[in-house]
Structure formats: C-alpha cells, structure tokens
Amino acid sequence: EVQLLESGGGLVQPGGSLRLSCAASGFTFSSYAMNWVRQAPGKGLEWVSSVTDSGDSTYYADSVKGRFTLSRDNSKNTVYLQMNSLRAEDTAVYYCAKAASGYYYFDYWGQGSLVTVSS
Amino acid sequence: EIVLTQSPATLSLSPGERATLSCRASQSVSSYLAWYRQKPGQAPRLVIYEASNRATGIPARFSGSGSGTDFTLTISSLEPEDFAVYYCQQRSNWPLTFGGGTKVEIK
C-alpha cells in the first residue's frame, strides 16, 4: 500500500523558514518523480514543485522560485521542501504527491501538512 | 503559463443525474489533462488522466473526453460520494497548472 506521510508543518513568522518532509513507502521510491501541491484555506489547488526520480532536475512555480528548494534522498525514501522567506500568502495545506508512472499527474497524495505564516 | 478555466463553478444536481463538467485551456495541451475529485477535508484523488483514461479503482460511470483546448468530465449517474469539488490539471507545459474547480452539490 502506497503511503506518503508529511511532517514539519506549523506556525512561522513572516520571513521565517520551515522544512517539510514526506516519507514514502509501498512503492519503489527511486523510480518516481515526487511533487508538492498546496491549497490555501478555502481555495483551489496550486502546484508548487516537482523533482525527477533521480533528483537531477527540479521545477518550481514562479510564486516560490528562489525561496523554496525541493530535494530528495532515495536512500531514505524521503523528499524535502525547504521553504525560506515565507510570506502570509504561503499559508496553506501542503500535500506531497507521487507522480503517476511516466506522467506528471498525481496518483497518490499524503494527508497534507498545514503551514501558517503569521505574526 | 497555461490557464485552465473550469465551468460551471457550481453544478446542482440530484443523485442519479448526469453531470457534465468543462475545462478549457488557454492554449493546446494535446491530451495531457487529468481530472481530480476532492471531498471535504480530504486530499484530492486522481479520476482521469491523459484526458480519457480512468485511474485505478475509478468506476465506469466516470468518463473523460476532449483534446487540444476543450475537455469534458462526465459522470453518468451521480452517487452520493460524487458530490465534491473537481479539478482539472495539465502536464503539457511547465508550470503545471490546475483549474479553479467545479463544485458538484446536491440539489
């Protein structure tokens, strides 16, 4: 059974930093791209970032480029989203999502981790 | 950036009725489009990928069609669990983008 378990969310002040982790199990982690998608309270879905299966390439939404860094450790079956210079508009539930085989669609999702940026 | 526009914003229907949801892209995405269903308080679930392929475990009442810029998700007969918000998503170009969502509510 595929499981994605996010951790690291919480309350942070504007300008602060936070690192989200997503521990994966139930599939061959090193064979799949991994992604983060966020959802602000009461709003729709927004893609944040993706990393290829090997970790060689990463992609970012313009809204987070230069502030967020996505990485993965295939030996630990874990992806990390380092979030710096956080803003109020980054407040959202952050979902870790596995890419479907060969495609950048999201076939499995974690339960989500709430990040609140507020003073 | 490819903008996906979903319509209508809200669809009010009764169980057993047919639902037709639309997603229009600002430029061609070929068939590189997916649909997700999100129930309140839950993570989204993949329903359709590559415009017309049902994801694993998705029942046959769900079907997808379209290519280029115009796509449709059809639910042939609404079950109680289908009352939710549906999003489309394109993978044709970076950045990946989602539509704003269509809420299917009970009439």
Side-chain angles (χ1 to χ4, degrees):
Chain A
E1 178 191 6
V2 172
Q3 289 194 332
L4 301 172
L5 186 62
E6 301 103 335
S7 60
L11 175 64
V12 62
Q13 292 188 338
S17 297
L18 216 53
R19 188 177 82 156
L20 300 181
S21 299
C22 172
S25 60
F27 62 102
T28 305
F29 181 75
S30 59
S31 296
Y32 294 90
M34 295 296 294
N35 313 270
W36 289 91
V37 175
R38 69 184 180 183
Q39 187 168 35
K43 301 298 185 182
L45 301 173
E46 179 187 15
W47 169 76
V48 174
S49 183
S50 298
V51 59
T52 56
D53 53 3
S54 64
D56 286 350
S57 296
T58 51
Y59 306 88
Y60 299 94
D62 285 347
S63 58
V64 307
K65 198 173 295 182
R67 301 186 299 122
F68 290 13
T69 302
L70 180 57
S71 61
R72 65 189 296 160
D73 184 338
N74 285 346
S75 69
K76 296 182 177 179
N77 288 1
T78 301
V79 289
Y80 305 97
L81 184 67
Q82 177 66 42
M83 303 184 294
N84 298 332
S85 303
L86 282 162
R87 306 165 180 167
E89 54 265 35
D90 295 318
T91 294
V93 173
Y94 285 72
Y95 293 102
C96 173
K98 170 186 167 292
S101 179
Y103 309 111
Y104 278 95
Y105 302 128
F106 315 120
D107 59 355
Y108 289 93
W109 299 63
Q111 83 288 351
S113 183
L114 177 62
V115 172
T116 303
V117 184
S118 176
S119 56
Chain B
E1 171 176 322
I2 296 176
V3 176
L4 300 179
T5 302
Q6 292 188 239
S7 61
T10 304
L11 199 51
S12 298
L13 296 168
S14 301
E17 290 195 294
R18 182 184 188 89
T20 303
L21 288 67
S22 174
C23 177
R24 177 164 289 179
S26 59
Q27 65 188 76
S28 177
V29 298
S30 186
S31 295
Y32 303 144
L33 190 106
W35 292 91
Y36 300 84
R37 177 178 69 184
Q38 185 177 33
K39 300 177 188 178
Q42 295 186 16
R45 180 179 181 181
L46 181 65
V47 175
I48 296 287
Y49 66 97
E50 298 294 73
S52 61
N53 297 289
R54 279 190 302 277
T56 302
I58 298 300
R61 65 180 181 273
F62 288 90
S63 63
S65 64
S67 66
T69 60
D70 290 305
F71 300 86
T72 301
L73 174 68
T74 302
I75 310 169
S76 59
S77 178
L78 284 164
E79 297 287 338
E81 62 268 27
D82 299 333
F83 291 92
V85 180
Y86 291 81
Y87 296 94
C88 55
Q89 176 240 324
Q90 65 81 22
R91 71 166 185 92
S92 176
N93 284 12
W94 299 100
L96 307 179
T97 51
F98 288 90
T102 290
K103 181 180 182 180
V104 179
E105 65 176 22
I106 299 176
K107 185 175 182 180

XYZ file of all heavy atoms in Angstrom, chain A residues 35 37 39 43-47 50 59-62 95 100 102-112, chain B residues 1 31-34 36 38 42-46 49-51 87 89-91 94-100:
453
model
N 6.287 15.343 -5.902
C 5.739 16.677 -6.091
C 5.147 17.234 -4.804
O 4.804 16.477 -3.897
C 4.602 16.604 -7.131
C 4.972 15.800 -8.361
O 5.488 16.319 -9.338
N 4.701 14.488 -8.316
N 1.994 19.997 -3.806
C 0.845 20.791 -4.239
C 0.268 21.421 -2.979
O 0.187 20.762 -1.934
C -0.214 19.895 -4.916
C -1.470 20.705 -5.252
C 0.349 19.235 -6.160
N -2.756 24.083 -0.988
C -4.132 24.555 -1.053
C -4.347 25.551 0.079
O -4.370 25.155 1.254
C -5.112 23.390 -0.945
C -6.565 23.753 -1.162
C -7.443 22.526 -1.330
O -7.232 21.482 -0.713
N -8.447 22.628 -2.206
N -9.499 27.635 -0.799
C -9.136 27.902 -2.201
C -8.870 26.608 -2.958
O -9.018 25.511 -2.422
C -7.886 28.800 -2.231
C -8.068 30.128 -1.516
C -9.152 30.980 -2.133
C -9.234 32.347 -1.471
N -10.333 33.192 -2.051
N -8.450 26.779 -4.207
C -8.180 25.640 -5.065
C -6.768 25.118 -4.918
O -6.002 25.544 -4.041
N -6.417 24.189 -5.797
C -5.110 23.553 -5.759
C -4.093 24.372 -6.537
O -4.397 24.928 -7.599
C -5.204 22.155 -6.368
C -6.189 21.198 -5.686
C -6.320 19.907 -6.498
C -5.759 20.893 -4.268
N -2.867 24.402 -6.017
C -1.762 25.096 -6.691
C -0.535 24.190 -6.673
O -0.052 23.813 -5.596
C -1.432 26.426 -6.006
C -0.288 27.165 -6.663
C 0.175 28.408 -5.898
O -0.184 28.554 -4.720
O 0.904 29.219 -6.490
N -0.032 23.859 -7.853
C 1.223 23.107 -7.922
C 2.371 23.978 -7.421
O 2.446 25.155 -7.751
C 1.472 22.664 -9.355
C 2.840 22.113 -9.566
C 3.314 20.881 -9.192
C 3.952 22.792 -10.161
N 4.634 20.758 -9.539
C 5.047 21.916 -10.131
C 4.121 24.063 -10.721
C 6.297 22.259 -10.643
C 5.344 24.416 -11.231
C 6.433 23.518 -11.189
N 8.246 20.087 -8.323
C 8.431 18.685 -8.683
C 9.914 18.372 -8.748
O 10.728 19.250 -9.075
C 7.790 18.373 -10.036
O 6.403 18.590 -10.029
N 11.638 21.526 -10.552
C 10.800 22.520 -11.195
C 10.002 23.246 -10.109
O 9.605 22.623 -9.106
C 9.827 21.844 -12.172
C 10.507 20.964 -13.193
C 10.760 19.616 -12.912
C 10.915 21.477 -14.419
C 11.399 18.799 -13.836
C 11.552 20.659 -15.347
C 11.790 19.329 -15.047
O 12.431 18.534 -15.965
N 9.778 24.539 -10.334
C 9.111 25.349 -9.325
C 8.070 26.271 -9.947
O 8.253 26.772 -11.061
C 10.121 26.222 -8.575
C 11.177 25.441 -7.843
C 12.401 25.172 -8.426
C 10.929 24.961 -6.560
C 13.369 24.438 -7.761
C 11.894 24.234 -5.880
C 13.110 23.968 -6.488
O 14.056 23.232 -5.819
N 7.014 26.522 -9.176
C 6.079 27.577 -9.547
C 6.781 28.923 -9.380
O 7.641 29.089 -8.501
C 4.838 27.516 -8.657
N 6.404 29.886 -10.212
C 7.013 31.215 -10.116
C 6.824 31.825 -8.736
O 7.676 32.569 -8.258
C 6.412 32.149 -11.173
C 6.927 31.851 -12.572
O 7.927 31.104 -12.700
O 6.327 32.341 -13.536
N 0.475 19.376 0.298
C 0.344 17.955 0.021
C 1.574 17.446 -0.721
O 2.002 18.046 -1.727
C -0.866 17.675 -0.862
C -2.208 17.943 -0.248
C -2.930 19.081 -0.558
C -2.784 17.015 0.624
C -4.188 19.307 -0.019
C -4.043 17.231 1.171
C -4.733 18.380 0.850
O -5.975 18.594 1.384
N 2.354 9.801 -11.262
C 1.989 8.556 -11.927
C 3.119 8.137 -12.858
O 3.909 8.971 -13.290
C 0.695 8.746 -12.695
N 5.437 7.715 -15.552
C 5.657 8.330 -16.844
C 4.974 9.658 -17.061
O 5.125 10.269 -18.130
N 4.201 10.099 -16.091
C 3.430 11.331 -16.291
C 3.523 12.233 -15.067
O 3.643 11.754 -13.954
C 1.934 11.011 -16.490
C 1.610 9.987 -17.527
C 1.107 8.735 -17.162
C 1.776 10.250 -18.882
C 0.789 7.790 -18.112
C 1.454 9.303 -19.837
C 0.964 8.077 -19.442
O 0.644 7.139 -20.388
N 3.415 13.521 -15.263
C 3.316 14.443 -14.128
C 1.846 14.684 -13.791
O 1.341 15.805 -13.881
C 4.077 15.740 -14.408
C 5.555 15.589 -14.145
C 6.425 15.287 -15.175
C 6.065 15.706 -12.851
C 7.781 15.120 -14.936
C 7.420 15.547 -12.604
C 8.276 15.249 -13.654
O 9.613 15.082 -13.405
N 1.192 13.564 -13.437
C -0.095 13.620 -12.751
C 0.168 13.038 -11.370
O 1.196 12.427 -11.131
C -1.154 12.758 -13.468
C -1.389 13.121 -14.900
C -1.326 12.144 -15.896
C -1.704 14.411 -15.264
C -1.562 12.450 -17.218
C -1.945 14.735 -16.590
C -1.865 13.754 -17.559
O -2.087 14.066 -18.877
N -0.785 13.189 -10.469
C -0.548 12.821 -9.079
C -1.500 11.703 -8.670
O -2.689 11.935 -8.462
C -0.726 14.055 -8.195
C -0.055 15.276 -8.771
C -0.778 16.400 -9.089
C 1.309 15.275 -9.030
C -0.175 17.515 -9.643
C 1.924 16.387 -9.585
C 1.183 17.510 -9.890
N -0.961 10.477 -8.577
C -1.842 9.336 -8.345
C -1.969 8.950 -6.880
O -2.904 8.226 -6.520
C -1.455 8.132 -9.211
C -0.032 7.649 -8.984
O 0.710 8.300 -8.224
O 0.328 6.627 -9.589
N -1.055 9.407 -6.045
C -1.187 9.198 -4.603
C -0.804 10.480 -3.886
O 0.163 11.153 -4.285
C -0.321 8.031 -4.123
C -0.823 6.683 -4.570
C -0.357 6.105 -5.745
C -1.792 6.010 -3.833
C -0.832 4.875 -6.169
C -2.277 4.778 -4.259
C -1.792 4.230 -5.425
O -2.280 3.008 -5.843
N -1.554 10.793 -2.830
C -1.362 12.014 -2.077
C -1.212 11.693 -0.590
O -1.803 10.736 -0.088
C -2.575 12.926 -2.243
C -2.869 13.374 -3.646
C -3.208 12.573 -4.721
C -2.872 14.703 -4.131
N -3.419 13.352 -5.835
C -3.222 14.659 -5.502
C -2.624 15.955 -3.552
C -3.314 15.813 -6.298
C -2.729 17.090 -4.333
C -3.078 17.013 -5.689
N -0.436 12.535 0.092
C -0.400 12.459 1.541
C -1.630 13.116 2.146
O -2.499 13.613 1.428
N -1.674 13.143 3.456
C -2.833 13.705 4.152
C -2.746 15.228 4.245
O -3.732 15.885 4.572
C -2.977 13.092 5.552
C -2.120 13.730 6.642
C -0.644 13.411 6.511
O -0.210 12.581 5.710
N 0.152 14.070 7.347
N -1.575 15.769 3.965
C -1.394 17.214 3.999
C -0.773 17.706 5.304
O -0.987 17.126 6.373
N 2.354 30.673 -19.089
C 1.619 29.733 -18.229
C 0.262 29.417 -18.855
O -0.437 30.288 -19.347
C 1.421 30.359 -16.844
C 0.495 29.595 -15.933
C 0.406 30.191 -14.534
O 1.434 30.656 -14.015
O -0.696 30.180 -13.973
N -3.507 15.952 -25.286
C -4.376 15.138 -24.411
C -3.821 15.053 -23.001
O -4.199 14.169 -22.223
C -4.523 13.724 -24.981
O -5.192 13.733 -26.215
N -2.937 15.997 -22.668
C -2.208 15.918 -21.411
C -2.975 16.580 -20.264
O -2.521 17.578 -19.671
C -0.822 16.540 -21.568
C 0.003 15.919 -22.668
C 0.855 16.714 -23.435
C -0.064 14.554 -22.942
C 1.623 16.142 -24.451
C 0.689 13.991 -23.949
C 1.537 14.780 -24.691
O 2.279 14.216 -25.695
N -4.136 16.022 -19.985
C -5.007 16.608 -18.983
C -5.566 15.533 -18.060
O -5.891 14.422 -18.490
C -6.179 17.335 -19.659
C -7.005 18.169 -18.685
C -6.732 19.651 -18.878
C -8.478 17.844 -18.768
N -5.645 15.903 -16.777
C -6.185 14.997 -15.770
C -7.333 15.676 -15.022
O -7.456 16.905 -15.017
C -5.100 14.594 -14.780
N -9.344 15.459 -11.094
C -9.274 15.001 -9.701
C -10.611 15.305 -9.016
O -11.276 16.291 -9.329
C -8.165 15.724 -8.930
C -6.786 15.520 -9.498
C -6.323 16.314 -10.540
C -5.948 14.526 -9.002
C -5.056 16.134 -11.069
C -4.680 14.331 -9.529
C -4.244 15.143 -10.559
O -3.004 14.939 -11.082
N -12.075 15.982 -5.127
C -11.685 16.263 -3.752
C -12.931 16.385 -2.879
O -13.754 17.289 -3.080
C -10.848 17.542 -3.635
C -10.329 17.769 -2.231
C -9.438 18.996 -2.106
O -9.631 19.992 -2.802
N -8.458 18.926 -1.208
N -10.449 16.093 2.658
C -9.601 15.011 2.150
C -8.652 15.531 1.083
O -8.865 16.582 0.483
C -10.462 13.896 1.554
C -11.345 13.186 2.563
C -12.064 11.995 1.955
O -11.717 11.504 0.879
N -13.090 11.501 2.652
N -7.629 14.747 0.829
C -6.738 15.028 -0.287
C -7.454 14.704 -1.603
O -8.382 13.881 -1.632
C -5.468 14.189 -0.161
N -7.055 15.347 -2.681
C -7.638 15.012 -3.990
C -7.330 13.569 -4.379
O -6.384 12.958 -3.882
C -6.940 15.991 -4.943
C -6.452 17.096 -4.073
C -6.099 16.451 -2.766
N -8.155 13.060 -5.295
C -7.931 11.727 -5.844
C -7.963 11.817 -7.358
O -8.867 12.431 -7.937
C -8.988 10.739 -5.362
C -8.789 9.326 -5.917
C -9.816 8.356 -5.426
N -9.554 7.023 -5.973
C -10.307 5.955 -5.735
N -11.387 6.053 -4.970
N -9.997 4.786 -6.266
N -6.985 11.180 -8.005
C -6.933 11.146 -9.467
C -8.097 10.334 -10.007
O -8.329 9.192 -9.574
C -5.606 10.549 -9.914
C -5.364 10.446 -11.427
C -5.287 11.830 -12.070
C -4.073 9.666 -11.701
N -6.833 10.470 -16.373
C -5.559 11.009 -16.845
C -5.464 10.854 -18.354
O -6.184 10.047 -18.954
C -4.369 10.346 -16.142
C -4.203 8.876 -16.454
C -3.301 8.461 -17.436
C -4.926 7.902 -15.773
C -3.144 7.126 -17.741
C -4.772 6.572 -16.067
C -3.886 6.173 -17.043
O -3.733 4.847 -17.341
N -4.591 11.641 -18.948
C -4.462 11.680 -20.413
C -5.835 11.834 -21.068
O -6.138 11.211 -22.073
C -3.740 10.444 -20.932
C -2.306 10.282 -20.427
C -1.345 11.357 -20.924
O -1.442 12.493 -20.433
O -0.486 11.060 -21.769
N -6.621 12.694 -20.489
C -7.925 13.136 -20.992
C -9.047 12.112 -20.893
O -10.205 12.489 -20.666
C -7.817 13.622 -22.437
N -11.251 19.125 -10.047
C -10.228 19.985 -10.639
C -9.642 19.313 -11.873
O -9.416 18.103 -11.880
C -9.083 20.229 -9.649
C -9.469 20.986 -8.405
C -9.819 20.312 -7.237
C -9.469 22.378 -8.380
C -10.164 21.000 -6.082
C -9.812 23.076 -7.238
C -10.165 22.370 -6.091
O -10.504 23.067 -4.944
N -6.183 19.430 -14.451
C -4.746 19.744 -14.343
C -4.069 19.380 -15.642
O -4.321 18.310 -16.194
C -4.107 18.972 -13.182
C -2.598 19.170 -13.053
C -1.812 17.892 -13.186
O -2.220 16.824 -12.746
N -0.619 17.981 -13.784
N -3.177 20.257 -16.122
C -2.442 19.962 -17.359
C -0.982 19.684 -17.057
O -0.404 20.241 -16.119
C -2.591 21.120 -18.359
C -1.979 22.449 -17.955
C -0.476 22.553 -18.191
O 0.085 21.832 -19.009
N 0.192 23.445 -17.462
N -0.406 18.789 -17.861
C 1.026 18.454 -17.733
C 1.774 18.766 -19.029
O 2.899 18.359 -19.206
C 1.217 16.978 -17.375
C 0.885 16.017 -18.532
C 1.413 14.623 -18.233
N 1.236 13.706 -19.339
C 2.147 13.503 -20.291
N 3.288 14.155 -20.283
N 1.922 12.626 -21.256
N 5.466 23.325 -18.363
C 5.774 23.883 -17.042
C 5.450 25.374 -17.071
O 5.735 26.044 -18.065
C 7.254 23.688 -16.694
C 7.664 22.267 -16.632
C 8.307 21.552 -17.595
C 7.444 21.349 -15.539
N 8.502 20.259 -17.179
C 7.984 20.103 -15.916
C 6.842 21.462 -14.280
C 7.956 18.987 -15.081
C 6.809 20.346 -13.463
C 7.349 19.126 -13.865
N 4.874 25.899 -15.993
C 4.482 25.215 -14.758
C 3.213 24.379 -14.938
O 2.327 24.727 -15.734
C 4.242 26.370 -13.800
C 3.750 27.480 -14.670
C 4.529 27.340 -15.951
N 3.141 23.291 -14.201
C 1.890 22.547 -14.141
C 0.819 23.469 -13.560
O 1.102 24.271 -12.665
C 2.049 21.322 -13.242
C 3.225 20.382 -13.555
C 3.248 19.226 -12.560
C 3.144 19.869 -14.980
N -0.390 23.356 -14.073
C -1.456 24.227 -13.587
C -2.745 23.448 -13.375
O -2.994 22.437 -14.056
C -1.712 25.401 -14.551
O -1.895 24.890 -15.882
C -0.563 26.383 -14.536
N -3.538 23.958 -12.450
C -4.859 23.423 -12.158
C -5.922 24.443 -12.555
O -5.679 25.655 -12.543
C -5.028 23.168 -10.654
C -4.257 21.995 -10.119
C -2.967 22.156 -9.630
C -4.831 20.730 -10.080
C -2.264 21.086 -9.107
C -4.143 19.648 -9.562
C -2.854 19.831 -9.081
N -7.105 23.927 -12.849
C -8.248 24.792 -12.996
C -8.764 25.217 -11.630
O -8.324 24.702 -10.600
N -9.691 26.151 -11.632
C -10.211 26.694 -10.382
C -11.207 25.800 -9.664
O -11.544 26.050 -8.504
